[in-house]
Amino acid sequence: MLKADRVISTTCPYCGVGCNLELHIKDDYIYRVTSPFDSVVNQGNLCVKGRYGYDFIYHKSRVTTPLIRKMPQQPGERTQAFDLSEWQEVSWDQALDYVADRLVEIYRRDGPHALATFLCAKATNEDNYLLQKVFRALFRTNNVDHCTRLCHAGSVVALQQAIGSAAMSNTASEVIKSDCFIVTGSNTPENHPIIALQMKAAVEKYGAKLIVVDPRRLELCNYATLWLPLKPGTNVPVFTGMAHVIIHEGLVNQDFIEARTEGYEEFVRSVEKFTPEYAEMVSGVDRNLIIEAARMYAKAERGAIYWGMGISQLSHGTASALSLVHLAFLTGHVGREGTGLNPLRGQNNVQGASDMGAMPYHYPGYMLVDDPINATKWETAWNIEAGGLNQTRGLTTTEILSNVRPGGVRSLYIMGENPMMSEPNLNLTRHHMQNLEFLVAQDLFINESGAFADVFLPAVSWAEKEGTFTNTDRRVQRVRQALAPRGQARPDWQIICDLAKRIEARLGRPNSAYWDYDYPSEILREVGDVIPEYHGVTYARIEEVGLQTPVADEEHPGTPYLFSESFPRGRGKFHPLEYVPSVELPDDEFPFILTTGRVLEHWHGGSMTRHSKLDELYPEARVEVNPVDASLMGIENGQTVRVSSRRGSIVLRATVTEKTTAGVVFIPFHFSEAAANLLTIDALDPQAKIPEFKACAVNVKPASIEELVNPEAQVLRGRY
Amino acid sequence: MTDIKITIDGQTVTVPAGTTILEAAKSIGIDIPVICFHEACTANALCRLCVVEIEGARLLSPSCVAEARDGMRIQTRNERVDRSRRTILEMLDSAINISESPEFMGFMDEYEADRNRFPEAKRRESPVTDDNPMYIRDYSQCVLCWRCVQVCADDAQYTYAINFSGRGFDTQISTFFEKPLPESTCVFCGQCVGVCPTGALKPKREWFFEQGLSPDDIMQLTRSERKKRRRETG
Amino acid sequence: MSDFDLTRLRKNLSDLSLRDRSDLLPALHSAQSIYGYLPEPVAAEIGRLLDVPLADVYGVINFYTMFYREPVGETIIQVCSDPACALAGSDTVLEATCQHLDITPGEISHDGKHSIESAPCLGLCDHAPAVLVGDKVVSQADPTRLAEWINGKPTKPGGHIGGDLRILTANCGNGFATPLLEYKAGGGYAGLKTALKLTPEQVIGEIKASGLVGRGGAAFPTGIKWEGAASALNQPKYTVCNADESEPGTFKDRVLMEGDPHRVIEGLVISAYAVGAHQGYIYIRGEYPTALKALEQAVDEAREAGYLGEDILDSGFDFEINIRRGAGAYICGEETALFESIEGKRGFPRVKPPFPTTHGLFGKPTVINNVETLCNVPLIIEGGAPKYRQLGTEKSPGPKLFCISGDVARPGVYEVPFGITLRHLIYELAGGIRGEHALQAILFGGAAGVFATSEVLDVKLSFEDLNAAGLTLGSGVVMVFDQSRDLRDVLKRLARFFAHESCGKCYPCQLGTQRQYEILERIASDNPKPSDFERLSDVGWTMTDASLCGLGQTAATAVLSAMKLWPQMFQV
C-alpha cells in the first residue's frame, strides 16, 4: 500500500452532483481517489468518472505551451489543425499580446456586436465571472453565453417565467424523503449516478413510488412503479394530460393554488383539450398510465419531479418544462422538504456559470442586462462610467454561430467548450466556425473546435487550480489545487486577468475594472458584494462543507430547499400551453426518431474522457435499435450501419436492445468519428434558443465494416 | 429515546437505548478492534474480532451489533476475549496476506499474535486478476469482510456484479461464472475499492505505480496493453 | 453458448409457477433435472426469469454441493465417508467403486453414466456402509458384490427400529410410507381435530404444560417458542419443519418421514393453527429422496382429504404446505440459514437477536421445529399434557428417539422414555458391542457432540442428568466405538466434515475448521507437531466462544472433549 505525500480534498469536475473527492498523491501522481463517507453530497460513493477519470490530466496530448497557428487563417477558409506541427510555440507574452491586439482591433473596427465568447460550465465560478467581466466591462458586449444554452436553457427560461428563479428547488438527496417522485427525460443512473443511487434507496429502503416518463427503458425502470414510454417531443400533452386528470378528479391543492399562484382559471380552460385520450393519441402512452401517474403524484404526501434533457432540449423545451411546473403548482408539491421542481444540471459548474452571468440576457445573479438599475450596480462594481454597459440583450451560442459573417460576429473566444461536437447540425456549425475572422481557444487539449483556432492558450485542469464550483443543488464547494500546473499552463482566472490588463492598456480606459486579485477568494468576494445569493459565501465558510445558495449573509446557513413562503416573482404563474410537435417528424425517407444523449463512461464532446482510460471501457459509438425494428430491417447486434438525416451521415455499430423503444434510435454524442450532432437539427426553442437535440428524423441502413473509422474499438460490456 | 446505563471495563457510561456496545465503548475512548465493520456498510458481525464478554452470557458477543441493555456489565479485554482475538488474527494471517493493512498488522502486534502459529497451513492464494482498465483484484489479500459485495448490492450501488464462489475456507469473491468484470454488470464506480481494508482491490494506476512505472509509462502501457491483449485473445 | 434449448426450462418454470427470488432453489433443481447440470446460459436464463442478479445465481449454485456447474455422470454414486460408515469399511467401498468404474471422485466415467463422490453423512448410519446410487439407497454395500448394486438395484430399506416404546415410531419400519387411511385408523389426525376445537392459546398452553422441548439438538421449550411467534405483531406468519437432518450419526427424522409422513404433517398444521400461520414449509435435505417422495405424496393425500388448504375440517382455518428440497448443505439445518435457503440465497446464518419468532422467514414471525418435535405434538394435544408427562422424567418428559450406530450389534432407531440409562440403551436394547472388543468410547450428540467412556454407562438419559455429567444429548446420536478403533481417525473425519460444511461467513469457523482439520489430519497420520495440543485448544475454544452460529460453536466440542479424556493422543 502506498503512503500518500498528500491527500487533497476537492470537488469532482464531471457532473452536477458535485461529489467530494480526496486525491491521493505521491510524487505528484494521483494514484487513488476516495471520498469521505460522511459527505453530505455523495456519502462516499462515486462513479467511474470521478473515481478513475482524472487521468486525462497526464495525457501526452495535453497542450502546455501557448500556441499560434503557423499558417494564418482566413475567414471562409479556416482549417482544423490537430497536429502540433501546424502550430508555433510562443511565450505567454507573445500569445496574450497577439490576442489583445486582434480583439481590440476588431472591437474598434466593428463594435461590440462583432465579439463573442463561450464561457465554460466546467471552469470555476471565478474563471467564469472574470471572463464575462472582460467582455461586458471592456468590450461592452452581451454576446456572452455557455453550454447551458444546449442543455437546460428550456428549463431555466420556463422557471424564470413561472417562478422567477432558475435553479433546482430542493436538495437532491431529499429524494429519500419523497413518497412519490417523477423522473423524466433523465437517464439518471448514467448521467447523475449518485442521485440515481439515492433514488434507488428511496424506492428500495424508504418505500417511495417512482414514475419514469421517458422514451427509453432506462435502468431506473427496474425500480419504477410506472413507466410512461412516450414518443420523444410529446412532453406537453403527457404532462398536461396529467394536469387534466388532477383538475377533473378534484385532486388539486386548492389552498396552494389560491395562496401561491395566478392564472389558474385561464390555465384550466387551456387544459380542456388535453384529455388522457388525446395525450395517448399523440404520445403513444396508454391513457391509463397517464391517469394512474397523475393520481399517484397528486395524492402523494411529498411529491417531487426530477428532469433532464428530454424536457429541455426540444424546439418547445420551455413549454415542456412549464408543463412540469404546472403539476407542482396544482398539487403544492414545491416549497417543502422532499418535494420540488428539480432540473438536474449536467455540468459540474453549469449552475455556477449561470450564477456568474455567463448568459446573454443576465449579469451575474440573474440581473437582466436591459434593466438600468442592474446596469448601474455593475457599472459601480466595475469602475465603468455611468451608462457605459451595453443594455441590449446579447446573442446565445447558437445565434452567435449563425451570425458569423461580415457585419455580424467576427471573433469568438472559447473557454473550455467544444461547439464542434456539442452544437446541433455540425456541418452547418463547421461552416460558421470556418467563417470566423479570429478564434481563440483556452483549453487543455486541441479539440475539434480549438483545431480551428488562431491562438491556443493552455489552461490547467481542475486539479491544478483553486476556485469554487456550484453543483446542481446550489451547493458552492471548494476546488483545490492538488498538483503544480503542467508545463506552462496557467489557471484560467490568471490568464483572463493577464489578458484583461493588456486589453485595458490598449483601450486606454480611464479606470481599470480591477484585475489584481492575489487569490480566487477575492474574486468570489467581489461577486458576493453585488449579488445577494452569494453574499454570505466565503472560502472560510466553505472550507469543510459547501453552502447552498442563496446565502444571505455570513450567519446564514444556506438554503436546502427554496420557495417555502413565496416565489421570487411573488406568485407562481400558470402559462396556457399548446402542443407543438417537433420540427422534424419521421416520414418514409427518414422513418426513425433520433434521440441523443450520453453514456456513463464519457463526457460530452470527449475532450476529457477520450483522453482517459475511460475510453477503454467504452471506445466506440453505438446506435441503440429496438429488437422489433432490428428484425424488420434485418440488422443484428453489433452490425455496422449507416445512420443518416437530412443534414449528415455517420457509420457505427448497432446495439439491438430493449433499452430503446420501437421507432426511436439513440446515439451518444461523444465520438468525433461518428458524431451524433452531424445528424441533429438546429431548430431552436423560440424563447430559450435551445436546439432540438432530442428529436429529428433519420434512417438506418446496413453498412460495411470497412466504413468504420476505428473497427478495432469495440464495446463489450455487461452493464445495463 | 430512553437512556440506559452500562458498565464497560469497570467504567459506567450512560448511552441512548439502541447504542451498540462498540459505539458505547468508543464514546469512552475504548477502541475495540474490528475488521469487517465499516460505517458505510451493514454490520454483519462476521469477523468476530470485536467480541466482548457480557456477564451472564454463555458465549462471547459481537460488540458491533450487540445492543447495550440497561445494567449490562461488559469486559472488552480479558483472557477469554484476548485468546479469541489473537487466535482469529493468527488464523487469518496464516491464510491471507494482510501486510497491506497497517491497521491489521497493528492488531497483530497489539495481541502478540504469532505469525508462525500454523506451520504448513493451507493459504488462500490466487493470481492477481487484471481484467479491466480501472482496478485489479488480488484475492490472496482478501479477508472476506463482505464489504465489497455489500456496497455493490443494496448498501450503496444496487449493481450486484459480485457475489461469492465456493464455501467455507475456499470461499472467494466472484462474478457470474468468473466472467471478466467488464462483461458483468459492474459500472466501475469503485465503491468496492473504497471500502476494501487491504490491498485486495486496488486502483490499477496505484498498482502500476507501486511496481515502479512512471505516470507516462502508465498512460502508455494501458493503450498498448489493450492492443496486446486483443492480439493474444485473437 | 446458445446450444442449450431453453424452452423446456421456461415451460417447467412456468408450470411450477416459479417467478421470483424465493423460487431459486426449486428452479435450479428443476433445471438440473433437465440438463444434468447448470451451464452458464441456463443459469443466466433462470436469473432473468426470476429477476435475480446473475452474480447471486452463481453464488447460490456453487454454495450447494448438489448443484453442478460442470457436467456430471448421469447417475451420481455417493459413498458416505463419515465415522459410522467408516467403521463399517466405507473406504474400501469407495476404493472398489472407483476401481470398478476406472475413475476418481469428481471424474465422469467413460460412457458418461457415472460419477463418484465421497459424501458426508447421508443419514443412513443404520445401513452402514451406505451408498446412494442416484436416488436409490444401497444398504450395507458390499465391495465384493459391486456389480449387483452399482446400477442402483434397490435394497430393502429396512433399518432397525426398536426400543421400550413404539409411540412416535408406531407406524415406522414397515418398508413403506403409512398411507392416510391407515394413519387415521391408528388414531391419526385426531390431534388436529382436537386442536381445531380449542383456541390457539389453549393449544399453546397444552404444549407448554407438556414440557416438550426441541428435538433437533437445541432443546428449546417448544411452547415458549410458539408463544413468542403467536404474540408477534408482524404478518404474515410462517411455520417451518426443519427436516434438514444432516448431523453425522442422526437418521431418526428420515425414519419418521419415510414411515409416517402424516404424523409430521399433522404436527405442522397444529403448530400453524397455534401461532396463526397460513403458510408452512417443510425443508428437507436433498439427500433424502425416499422421505421427500413420502412427504409429497402425504401432502397431496392430506390436501385431498381436507386436512390442508382452505377451511380445514370446517374450522375456518386455512393452511398450505410448501415442500422445499435442500441441495447439500449441513449448515441449512441451522434455522436462520434454512430461512436464507428458502429465500433463494446462500445458506449463511443470520446474527441473533433478532430471533425467528419475530424476524424469521422473509423477515416475518416464524416458528421452526424439528421433525421429531412435531411428531410429539399430535399426541400431546390428543392425550393431554398430564398423560404425556407420565413418560420420561420431571424435567425431561415424553418419548425420545435415539440413533445408535457404530460397533453395536443392532444399529438403528430406538424409542425410549427419557430417563433410561445408557447401559440399558446400548447393551439391553441395541445388543451390546458387536465383535470381540470391549467398549472404548461413545460419541454423544453427533459430530457436534462429546466423547465419553464406559464411566458414563449408568448416566440417565435426560437433559438434567446428562448436563450434570458434563454431556450433551444433542439430537440423540449415540455412536459406539470399540477398543480396536483409532479414535484419531474418527476425529479427523469429524473435523473434515465441519471444514467441508462451514459456510465461510464468520472467521472463527471459516478458518478454524480448516486449521482444526489440518492438525487432526497430521495427528491421525501419526505426525503431530509440538504444540498441536495448544493449537487445537486455542482454535477449538475460539470457535466455541466466538463463532456466529451453532455449527462453529460446536465444531470443536467433540475434539475438546477427546482432548480432556485422552490428552496424550494429541501430543508428540
Side-chain angles (χ1 to χ4, degrees):
Chain A
M1 253 344 195
L2 288 178
K3 193 151 187 325
D5 293 336
R6 59 186 181 282
V7 179
I8 304 291
S9 296
T10 183
T11 306
C12 185
Y14 277 103
C15 87
V17 175
C19 296
N20 303 129
L21 304 182
E22 291 164 330
L23 308 180
H24 297 244
I25 298 157
K26 186 167 178 65
D27 299 342
D28 280 336
Y29 186 61
I30 303 173
Y31 62 87
R32 179 188 281 258
V33 176
T34 57
S35 181
F37 293 97
D38 59 358
S39 158
V40 298
V41 176
N42 59 305
Q43 296 87 40
N45 296 317
L46 297 173
C47 82
V48 61
K49 300 184 292 298
R51 182 79 66 178
Y52 300 112
Y54 60 85
D55 54 341
F56 65 87
I57 298 171
Y58 299 102
H59 198 275
K60 64 173 196 219
S61 297
R62 251 194 84 179
V63 179
T64 56
T65 41
L67 303 172
I68 294 183
R69 246 349 235 287
K70 279 184 183 161
M71 179 79 79
Q73 297 293 302
Q74 301 303 329
E77 291 159 23
R78 203 171 272 280
T79 60
Q80 283 173 309
F82 290 99
D83 198 276
L84 281 175
S85 62
E86 300 188 60
W87 297 83
Q88 179 70 47
E89 286 186 1
V90 297
S91 68
W92 274 104
D93 280 330
Q94 284 174 289
L96 292 177
D97 279 336
Y98 181 55
V99 173
D101 285 338
R102 292 287 283 131
L103 288 179
V104 170
E105 178 196 334
I106 295 173
Y107 171 67
R108 286 212 170 105
R109 189 190 71 207
D110 295 338
H113 69 274
L115 296 160
T117 179
F118 286 176
L119 266 52
C120 179
K122 281 221 163 298
T124 62
N125 288 323
E126 295 78 1
D127 300 332
N128 279 295
Y129 172 72
L130 289 179
L131 192 53
Q132 64 86 40
K133 184 178 172 183
V134 166
F135 277 79
R136 289 200 157 108
L138 304 185
F139 291 123
R140 309 293 163 94
T141 179
N142 287 314
N143 292 344
V144 168
D145 205 4
H146 69 293
C147 62
T148 198
R149 191 64 40 202
L150 309 175
C151 172
H152 260 300
S155 317
V156 162
V157 170
L159 287 170
Q160 282 174 332
Q161 284 179 0
I163 286 181
S165 140
M168 191 164 160
S169 67
N170 289 59
T171 302
S173 56
E174 279 175 36
V175 68
I176 58 173
K177 305 240 166 76
S178 169
D179 55 313
C180 172
F181 59 103
I182 301 174
V183 176
T184 176
S186 160
N187 182 2
T188 330
E190 294 194 51
N191 298 338
H192 292 88
I194 303 306
I195 297 182
L197 294 189
Q198 292 159 348
M199 288 175 173
K200 290 178 187 176
V203 171
E204 294 292 306
K205 297 203 175 96
Y206 297 90
K209 292 212 186 72
L210 164 60
I211 302 169
V212 175
V213 183
D214 204 290
R216 294 168 76 206
R217 197 204 174 284
L218 311 167
E219 195 211 342
L220 218 47
C221 293
N222 290 338
Y223 300 83
T225 310
L226 296 176
W227 172 40
L228 279 59
L230 77 178
K231 290 205 196 88
T234 59
N235 299 309
V236 169
V238 170
F239 293 112
T240 316
M242 282 173 65
H244 189 280
V245 173
I246 295 174
I247 291 170
H248 286 267
E249 290 192 11
L251 299 172
V252 294
N253 183 332
Q254 205 60 41
D255 294 334
F256 186 88
I257 293 172
E258 277 167 21
R260 303 281 306 263
T261 71
E262 64 190 31
Y264 178 63
E265 302 299 321
E266 199 192 342
F267 174 69
V268 168
R269 285 193 292 279
S270 75
V271 163
E272 258 333 282
K273 57 177 180 283
F274 287 97
T275 60
E277 292 71 36
Y278 171 72
E280 176 182 314
M281 184 189 74
V282 175
S283 69
V285 176
D286 185 323
R287 71 191 69 169
N288 294 308
L289 286 177
I290 295 174
I291 295 170
E292 215 187 316
R295 290 176 184 158
M296 214 180 266
Y297 174 75
K299 290 184 185 165
E301 277 284 315
R302 278 174 297 284
I305 306 179
Y306 299 84
W307 76 90
M309 298 297 93
I311 292 290
S312 176
Q313 284 176 339
L314 292 163
S315 56
H316 48 280
T318 312
S320 296
L322 282 171
S323 68
L324 295 177
V325 175
H326 295 153
L327 290 177
F329 283 174
L330 289 173
T331 56
H333 285 320
V334 64
R336 291 174 291 129
E337 200 185 21
T339 67
L341 287 162
N342 302 300
L344 297 175
R345 308 305 295 266
Q347 294 274 9
N348 56 307
N349 199 27
V350 60
Q351 184 64 50
S354 303
D355 293 347
M356 296 295 120
M359 293 182 296
Y361 308 167
H362 298 93
Y363 294 120
Y366 303 97
M367 303 183 194
L368 283 165
V369 299
D370 49 12
D371 182 338
I373 298 175
N374 297 333
T376 307
K377 284 201 184 114
W378 290 104
E379 281 158 4
T380 312
W382 297 337
N383 300 320
I384 294 175
E385 73 279 12
L389 284 177
N390 189 337
Q391 290 183 32
T392 314
R393 294 185 179 190
L395 298 172
T396 63
T397 62
T398 29
E399 290 169 322
I400 286 170
L401 287 172
S402 59
N403 273 287
V404 173
R405 63 172 179 283
V409 173
R410 302 315 297 136
S411 132
L412 182 57
Y413 189 112
I414 303 178
M415 174 168 76
E417 290 215 344
N418 194 358
M420 278 303 295
M421 285 294 291
S422 54
E423 291 280 330
N425 193 349
L426 289 179
N427 283 322
L428 186 57
T429 308
R430 169 185 296 270
H431 176 74
H432 295 321
M433 294 283 282
Q434 284 173 317
N435 281 336
L436 284 166
E437 188 182 325
F438 184 63
L439 175 61
V440 181
Q442 183 173 308
D443 212 312
L444 276 63
F445 298 97
I446 299 176
N447 57 32
E448 292 74 12
S449 308
F452 274 124
D454 298 289
V455 184
F456 188 96
L457 302 175
V460 297
S461 70
W462 106 108
E464 296 154 274
K465 64 181 175 185
E466 298 276 327
T468 57
F469 293 151
T470 307
N471 79 348
T472 184
D473 49 28
R474 300 167 275 101
R475 193 181 294 274
V476 185
Q477 303 190 96
R478 283 283 275 120
V479 176
R480 291 194 179 84
Q481 183 171 354
L483 306 167
R486 266 171 98 80
Q488 295 180 53
R490 297 169 74 187
D492 298 75
W493 67 270
Q494 285 179 8
I495 300 173
I496 296 165
C497 287
D498 195 346
L499 177 65
K501 285 195 254 199
R502 293 169 207 251
I503 294 170
E504 257 180 4
R506 282 156 178 75
L507 290 176
R509 291 272 157 76
N511 302 310
S512 170
Y514 191 77
W515 310 100
D516 291 311
Y517 311 98
D518 286 319
Y519 192 72
S521 56
E522 297 166 30
I523 305 168
L524 200 63
R525 183 72 287 169
E526 182 176 308
V527 175
D529 282 343
V530 186
I531 75 179
E533 292 91 341
Y534 280 71
H535 204 60
V537 183
T538 67
Y539 275 40
R541 292 192 73 204
I542 60 174
E543 185 64 22
E544 301 292 320
V545 181
L547 289 170
Q548 290 173 283
T549 61
V551 184
D553 55 48
E554 301 215 14
E555 305 300 311
H556 194 273
T559 317
Y561 60 89
L562 307 168
F563 318 137
S564 52
E565 305 295 319
S566 65
F567 297 112
R569 73 179 296 284
R571 286 172 173 268
K573 186 161 196 281
F574 283 98
H575 289 74
L577 301 173
E578 291 293 330
Y579 167 53
V580 176
S582 300
V583 169
E584 190 179 73
L585 293 172
D587 56 29
D588 288 333
E589 197 188 344
F590 299 98
F592 291 101
I593 301 176
L594 168 69
T595 189
T596 60
R598 294 183 38 229
V599 297
L600 171 69
E601 293 82 359
H602 278 291
W603 195 265
H604 291 56
S607 301
M608 293 154 82
T609 58
R610 305 217 65 204
H611 289 114
S612 155
K613 273 204 287 188
L614 290 168
D615 194 52
E616 286 189 35
L617 280 178
Y618 209 105
E620 61 162 339
R622 286 277 187 136
V623 54
E624 282 180 6
V625 182
N626 181 275
V628 169
D629 293 331
S631 89
L632 283 173
M633 293 188 288
I635 288 176
E636 283 179 17
N637 192 36
Q639 188 174 331
T640 311
V641 295
R642 175 174 290 278
V643 183
S644 310
S645 76
R646 291 183 168 84
R647 294 159 290 283
S649 181
I650 59 176
V651 177
L652 70 173
R653 288 194 177 92
T655 298
V656 178
T657 170
E658 300 272 358
K659 206 165 162 184
T660 189
T661 45
V664 178
V665 297
F666 171 85
I667 303 178
F669 73 108
H670 318 292
F671 303 90
S672 58
E673 63 271 26
N677 279 325
L678 281 167
L679 309 171
T680 53
I681 187 171
D682 48 310
L684 303 180
D685 176 288
Q687 293 157 294
K689 313 288 185 201
I690 187 172
E692 190 154 59
F693 288 110
K694 289 299 184 188
C696 71
V698 297
N699 61 38
V700 179
K701 304 229 157 72
S704 81
I705 198 169
E706 281 78 51
E707 295 176 71
L708 280 173
V709 172
N710 195 4
E712 320 95 64
Q714 274 213 59
V715 178
L716 292 160
R717 292 288 301 283
R719 71 162 177 86
Y720 189 91
Chain B
M1 222 5 157
T2 48
D3 278 355
I4 55 171
K5 222 193 299 203
I6 60 173
T7 311
I8 304 181
D9 293 343
Q11 275 187 74
T12 318
V13 54
T14 308
V15 292
T19 310
T20 64
I21 296 176
L22 183 70
E23 289 163 345
K26 188 150 191 211
S27 74
I28 53 172
I30 297 174
D31 276 325
I32 300 175
V34 292
I35 291 180
C36 69
F37 180 81
H38 189 284
E39 70 213 68
C41 303
T42 309
N44 284 305
L46 59 87
C47 74
R48 316 303 283 188
L49 198 65
C50 70
V51 288
V52 295
E53 187 160 31
I54 301 177
E55 198 178 274
R58 186 171 64 93
L59 304 172
L60 300 178
S61 311
S63 57
C64 63
V65 293
E67 277 181 21
R69 301 228 184 282
D70 199 42
M72 251 186 191
R73 306 178 68 82
I74 299 148
Q75 286 190 342
T76 72
R77 297 292 297 265
N78 62 26
E79 219 180 284
R80 195 177 168 204
V81 169
D82 282 23
R83 176 179 59 194
S84 282
R85 290 195 191 150
R86 192 189 65 245
T87 311
I88 289 171
L89 289 165
E90 284 170 346
M91 292 196 293
L92 185 64
D93 183 48
S94 71
I96 283 293
N97 170 16
I98 56 171
S99 62
E100 291 203 24
S101 168
E103 204 194 351
F104 299 167
M105 295 304 286
F107 295 155
M108 296 284 290
D109 283 337
E110 197 188 333
Y111 288 86
E112 293 174 336
D114 176 358
R115 303 209 67 193
N116 299 309
R117 189 80 199 278
F118 295 98
E120 286 162 32
K122 185 175 173 193
R123 296 184 70 85
R124 275 201 297 265
E125 317 226 89
S126 49
V128 172
T129 307
D130 174 9
D131 60 7
N132 72 84
M134 300 315 181
Y135 68 105
I136 54 107
R137 295 180 283 156
D138 181 4
Y139 287 141
S140 60
Q141 295 190 51
C142 172
V143 292
L144 293 176
C145 65
W146 284 31
R147 293 183 198 171
C148 59
V149 176
Q150 286 178 255
V151 293
C152 191
D154 24 28
D155 271 0
Q157 193 62 25
Y158 297 95
T159 296
Y160 307 99
I162 48 177
N163 202 269
F164 304 97
S165 72
R167 188 169 82 187
F169 184 83
D170 294 317
T171 307
Q172 278 280 37
I173 307 293
S174 176
T175 54
F176 179 68
F177 280 81
E178 275 111 29
K179 288 171 127 36
L181 278 165
E183 290 171 41
S184 72
T185 55
C186 178
V187 291
F188 299 95
C189 63
Q191 258 64 293
C192 55
V193 179
V195 292
C196 180
T198 66
L201 299 177
K202 190 179 291 186
K204 200 144 157 197
R205 257 156 262 160
E206 182 174 339
W207 186 57
F208 283 141
F209 201 53
E210 281 172 346
Q211 291 170 36
L213 286 150
S214 75
D216 284 336
D217 289 337
I218 294 172
M219 289 302 291
Q220 271 306 114
L221 186 62
T222 47
R223 269 191 302 280
S224 49
E225 211 190 16
R226 178 181 13 164
K227 294 201 187 96
K228 178 169 173 260
R229 207 179 298 147
R230 204 167 296 118
R231 244 182 286 128
E232 278 167 3
T233 55
Chain C
M1 255 307 176
S2 12
D3 295 317
F4 290 94
D5 177 16
L6 299 170
T7 38
R8 249 190 91 188
L9 173 69
R10 293 187 192 120
K11 181 167 188 309
N12 267 30
L13 263 46
S14 166
D15 288 347
L16 296 167
S17 296
L18 303 180
R19 54 181 81 90
D20 62 38
R21 177 92 198 227
S22 68
D23 296 319
L24 183 55
L25 267 78
L28 291 170
H29 275 301
S30 172
Q32 201 161 258
S33 68
I34 302 170
Y35 304 99
Y37 69 113
L38 296 164
E40 189 192 311
V42 171
E45 185 67 5
I46 291 175
R48 192 185 71 82
L49 289 169
L50 266 46
D51 197 22
V52 179
L54 293 184
D56 287 27
V57 175
Y58 186 61
V60 166
I61 291 174
N62 61 57
F63 181 84
Y64 297 93
T65 58
M66 288 174 67
F67 290 142
Y68 301 99
R69 280 174 283 170
E70 303 285 316
V72 286
E74 279 167 37
T75 307
I76 299 171
I77 302 173
Q78 292 179 278
V79 181
C80 175
S81 58
D82 271 345
C85 288
L87 297 183
S90 62
D91 284 354
T92 317
V93 175
L94 179 64
E95 223 180 281
T97 316
C98 288
Q99 244 176 41
H100 180 90
L101 294 172
D102 196 25
I103 51 173
T104 55
E107 294 177 337
I108 310 179
S109 65
H110 206 62
D111 55 7
K113 285 201 184 325
H114 297 100
S115 307
I116 301 176
E117 283 177 15
S118 173
C121 177
L122 296 169
L124 294 164
C125 323
D126 49 345
H127 298 279
V131 175
L132 260 186
V133 177
D135 275 358
K136 313 273 187 292
V137 171
V138 178
S139 177
Q140 291 162 324
D142 185 341
T144 63
R145 298 165 70 180
L146 247 172
E148 281 180 34
W149 54 259
I150 198 159
N151 289 307
K153 192 179 88 162
T155 50
K156 256 204 142 334
H160 180 70
I161 302 181
D164 300 321
L165 304 170
R166 289 301 289 267
I167 305 175
L168 297 175
T169 54
N171 295 327
C172 299
N174 298 319
F176 54 81
T178 306
L180 177 59
L181 281 175
E182 238 185 87
Y183 181 66
K184 275 169 61 176
Y189 287 110
L192 175 59
K193 284 203 185 80
T194 307
L196 290 173
K197 295 205 186 78
L198 301 170
T199 66
E201 290 74 27
Q202 286 169 326
V203 173
I204 293 176
E206 203 65 28
I207 299 294
K208 277 172 81 172
S210 75
L212 175 67
V213 300
R215 297 289 196 253
F220 190 87
T222 310
I224 297 187
K225 184 186 279 192
W226 289 15
E227 193 170 48
S231 57
L233 294 172
N234 221 340
Q235 288 284 350
K237 300 189 186 174
Y238 298 97
T239 182
V240 178
C241 169
N242 185 344
D244 190 65
E245 181 176 67
S246 307
E247 186 68 56
T250 320
F251 42 95
K252 60 183 175 68
D253 293 341
R254 174 182 58 78
V255 166
L256 283 171
M257 290 187 284
E258 283 177 356
D260 206 359
H262 279 284
R263 191 181 294 271
V264 182
I265 292 171
E266 189 181 355
L268 192 62
V269 184
I270 295 174
S271 79
Y273 178 69
V275 308
H278 302 287
Q279 180 70 39
Y281 288 83
I282 302 177
Y283 186 94
I284 176 169
R285 78 177 282 193
E287 298 92 338
Y288 276 0
T290 315
L292 173 67
K293 265 203 239 5
L295 278 169
E296 282 173 339
Q297 235 165 294
V299 163
D300 285 342
E301 280 183 325
R303 193 180 294 119
E304 253 189 68
Y307 296 114
L308 288 175
E310 285 178 12
D311 195 21
I312 296 174
L313 301 182
D314 299 319
S315 64
F317 176 64
D318 304 337
F319 180 64
E320 251 313 336
I321 293 181
N322 213 305
I323 299 181
R324 284 305 180 89
R325 203 177 158 209
Y330 164 78
I331 184 61
C332 288
E334 199 278 342
E335 55 190 8
T336 60
L338 194 155
F339 299 152
E340 293 283 298
S341 191
I342 293 181
E343 291 174 20
K345 304 180 224 163
R346 289 167 65 99
F348 288 127
R350 302 173 187 162
V351 167
K352 293 190 281 202
F355 293 93
T357 45
T358 51
H359 296 77
L361 186 58
F362 303 112
K364 304 290 184 192
T366 306
V367 137
I368 175 166
N369 288 120
N370 172 264
V371 169
E372 185 188 346
T373 315
L374 288 175
C375 285
N376 276 274
V377 166
L379 72 104
I380 293 173
I381 300 297
E382 179 53 14
K387 180 160 175 223
Y388 183 79
R389 292 194 75 96
Q390 282 170 9
L391 291 168
T393 69
E394 173 64 39
K395 292 213 182 79
S396 311
K400 178 77 188 91
L401 301 184
F402 284 90
C403 306
I404 323 282
S405 61
D407 291 328
V408 288
R410 291 189 291 274
V413 172
Y414 289 86
E415 185 175 353
V416 295
F418 276 110
I420 54 127
T421 64
L422 189 55
R423 186 186 299 277
H424 175 74
L425 187 56
I426 292 179
Y427 288 95
E428 280 154 31
L429 293 177
I433 314 294
R434 79 167 161 223
E436 69 267 23
H437 298 280
L439 172 66
Q440 185 189 177
I442 303 154
L443 180 61
F444 266 102
V450 291
F451 280 101
T453 61
S454 53
E455 289 183 13
V456 306
L457 279 173
D458 293 301
V459 170
K460 294 216 184 83
L461 295 174
S462 71
F463 293 108
E464 60 272 28
D465 291 284
L466 285 165
N467 249 333
L471 302 169
T472 59
L473 187 83
S475 52
V477 168
V478 174
M479 203 182 285
V480 178
F481 304 94
D482 72 27
Q483 291 286 353
S484 76
R485 301 302 185 181
D486 184 353
L487 293 180
R488 296 174 305 173
D489 181 73
V490 176
L491 285 165
K492 179 196 83 178
R493 286 172 198 268
L494 296 178
R496 182 184 61 195
F497 174 79
F498 283 114
H500 184 257
E501 298 298 330
S502 169
C503 74
K505 179 173 178 179
C506 83
Y507 289 13
C509 175
Q510 169 214 116
L511 301 162
T513 53
Q514 175 66 23
R515 294 294 172 251
Q516 180 176 258
Y517 175 45
E518 285 164 359
I519 298 166
L520 286 169
E521 213 183 5
R522 61 175 176 254
I523 287 176
S525 36
D526 233 348
N527 288 320
K529 289 195 192 299
S531 305
D532 268 350
F533 187 94
E534 285 75 24
R535 279 188 198 95
L536 271 179
S537 183
D538 277 348
V539 169
W541 282 111
T542 301
M543 287 200 286
T544 307
D545 278 344
S547 291
L548 190 148
C549 85
L551 188 158
Q553 289 157 11
T554 56
T557 326
V559 178
L560 291 169
S561 71
M563 286 166 74
K564 223 193 304 176
L565 288 170
W566 312 291
Q568 69 287 353
M569 200 189 284
F570 305 89
Q571 279 149 357
V572 169

